[in-house]
Amino acid sequence: MDVKAKGNVQSDQQDDQMDLRRGPWTVEEDLKLVNYIATYGEGRWNSLAHDAGLKRTGKSCRLRWLNYLRPDVRRGNITLEEQFMILELHSRWGNRWSKIAQHLPGRTDNEIKNYWRTRVQKHAKQLKCDVNSKQFKDTMRYLWMPRLVEKIQASAANSTTTTVASTTAGQFVMPQEFGGKRVTLSYITTENSSTSASSETQVSPVSDLSNYYVNVPVNDNPNPDYFQASQIGYSHQYSSFINPSTNYYNNGMDFQPWLDGADIASDNFLNSDDFLFLQQQFNFNV
DNA sequence: AAGTGTATCAACCGCCTTCCC
DNA sequence: AGGGAAGGCGGTTGATACACT
């Protein structure tokens, strides 16, 4: 432990020694915090806690504000699009919850972490494999994420209005209609693209998400990522998978031994229909 | 209806890194 | 450059809701 860390431990211990409240926040405390921040703004949390008359640590105030009281915080079920984003961004950045949360407006790092631990890790546990293993990552990337894309497409197709979820860092663009035409499903990040997107425009792939683009004729797009998409059997009409026995789809993957018999159909992350779908696509001997 | 098990999530702790004075 | 404060993260806990028997 370095000197800086040691100094902070001392600071934390001083917090412990003070007469500070812990546990669930009361309505009165929430009001104090909200009113104070509305007047004076965020920042300098330790002094804020004191000045607002709260017997809480600055850290506790910050957490309460960021995770619960902030006006733009979103609560409730994680949508399909958000599930997809979490899987995609986690595959890119790992457990950088805060960074991932920046791309999911209104969602907090704590919420995303909880989602990951309670849902995703649960599935890994049910599959009897490590959540960080190649097998599990491959399953997410090549099975669950494409499956999520299908669901997103289906719900968008059933919707009468265009669904465009804007984020602070980019846009997740969904089609209003489909019918054998190109589908524009993309996540546009501002950090790596200058491309603007609309539901009417074919969007150039700008991130790893290009691997999950659908209905894009390979020959019609110069980007090499589309070729990669075709390699995983995912660039054709309405995204049915290519049977691994007749294609190179499962190159480098090894699903069957640990999918066999596992109950992975227990919640909305991968429901019973999805499990049946996996069985059909890969001819499991279960 | 009551008891028990399980899932979810807010909140915390400890450690570490980053920021800023 | 050094040190304190703030922020980020992994891990955990406890309360509550819900499902199941």
Side-chain angles (χ1 to χ4, degrees):
Chain A
M1 183 187 293
D2 62 18
V3 175
K4 291 180 182 177
K6 195 178 289 181
N8 215 22
V9 169
Q10 288 172 349
S11 175
D12 290 346
Q13 287 172 343
Q14 284 171 1
D15 289 341
D16 293 338
Q17 291 163 6
M18 297 168 66
D19 180 26
L20 294 170
R21 273 185 50 77
R22 300 186 195 284
W25 281 61
T26 65
V27 175
E28 289 74 18
E29 287 177 312
D30 283 346
L31 282 173
K32 278 184 182 176
L33 184 57
V34 168
N35 287 335
Y36 188 90
I37 290 175
T39 306
Y40 301 103
E42 304 177 37
R44 311 295 300 178
W45 292 103
N46 280 330
S47 56
L48 182 153
H50 176 265
D51 295 346
L54 289 161
K55 295 190 176 208
R56 296 272 183 176
T57 64
K59 225 172 183 177
S60 178
C61 292
R62 173 183 166 270
L63 213 61
R64 182 64 176 172
W65 173 253
L66 292 178
N67 288 345
Y68 197 85
L69 297 174
R70 207 162 34 108
D72 58 335
V73 71
R74 276 186 69 194
R75 318 190 70 76
N77 291 340
I78 305 283
T79 66
L80 292 172
E81 289 89 342
E82 287 171 326
Q83 289 179 40
F84 183 90
M85 290 293 299
I86 291 169
L87 296 184
E88 159 60 20
L89 296 178
H90 187 274
S91 73
R92 203 189 302 180
W93 296 323
N95 295 347
R96 301 286 302 277
W97 306 118
S98 180
K99 192 168 182 177
I100 292 170
Q102 288 172 7
H103 291 259
L104 292 159
R107 299 297 186 184
T108 67
D109 54 357
N110 203 38
E111 191 171 16
I112 294 168
K113 181 176 67 177
N114 277 333
Y115 170 78
W116 185 266
R117 293 181 66 83
T118 59
R119 316 288 175 79
V120 180
Q121 286 196 351
K122 185 181 80 175
H123 284 295
K125 194 176 178 181
Q126 287 170 337
L127 293 168
K128 296 182 175 62
C129 68
D130 189 280
V131 74
N132 294 315
S133 68
K134 183 177 185 299
Q135 288 174 327
F136 189 73
K137 287 177 179 176
D138 281 343
T139 302
M140 281 197 300
R141 191 170 187 79
Y142 298 120
L143 292 180
W144 295 354
M145 292 174 72
R147 187 62 173 152
L148 273 175
V149 171
E150 281 196 355
K151 285 183 165 183
I152 292 166
Q153 276 187 276
S155 63
N158 290 332
S159 171
T160 56
T161 58
T162 302
T163 303
V164 177
S166 298
T167 75
T168 54
Q171 280 191 319
F172 198 86
V173 184
M174 298 296 299
Q176 180 175 9
E177 294 179 3
F178 70 98
K181 306 268 185 177
R182 287 172 176 168
V183 171
T184 55
L185 172 62
S186 56
Y187 180 72
I188 312 301
T189 61
T190 53
E191 69 182 32
N192 57 4
S193 174
S194 58
T195 308
S196 62
S198 77
S199 60
E200 303 296 324
T201 307
Q202 173 62 39
V203 179
S204 298
V206 292
S207 75
D208 292 344
L209 277 174
S210 57
N211 289 346
Y212 312 110
Y213 283 18
V214 294
N215 281 356
V216 179
V218 175
N219 295 338
D220 201 18
N221 195 298
N223 192 299
D225 283 348
Y226 282 129
F227 177 69
Q228 186 178 354
S230 74
Q231 281 187 316
I232 65 168
Y234 205 66
S235 63
H236 54 293
Q237 175 64 30
Y238 222 46
S239 57
S240 60
F241 287 98
I242 294 171
N243 190 313
S245 64
T246 60
N247 204 285
Y248 37 77
Y249 176 86
N250 62 343
N251 184 27
M253 296 191 289
D254 182 21
F255 297 112
Q256 281 87 339
W258 48 282
L259 278 172
D260 183 35
D263 177 18
I264 58 174
S266 57
D267 70 19
N268 63 1
F269 184 72
L270 198 65
N271 61 28
S272 55
D273 288 343
D274 296 326
F275 190 57
L276 186 63
F277 168 82
L278 293 180
Q279 288 180 309
Q280 290 169 345
Q281 294 298 325
F282 291 93
N283 301 317
F284 287 139
N285 297 316
V286 293

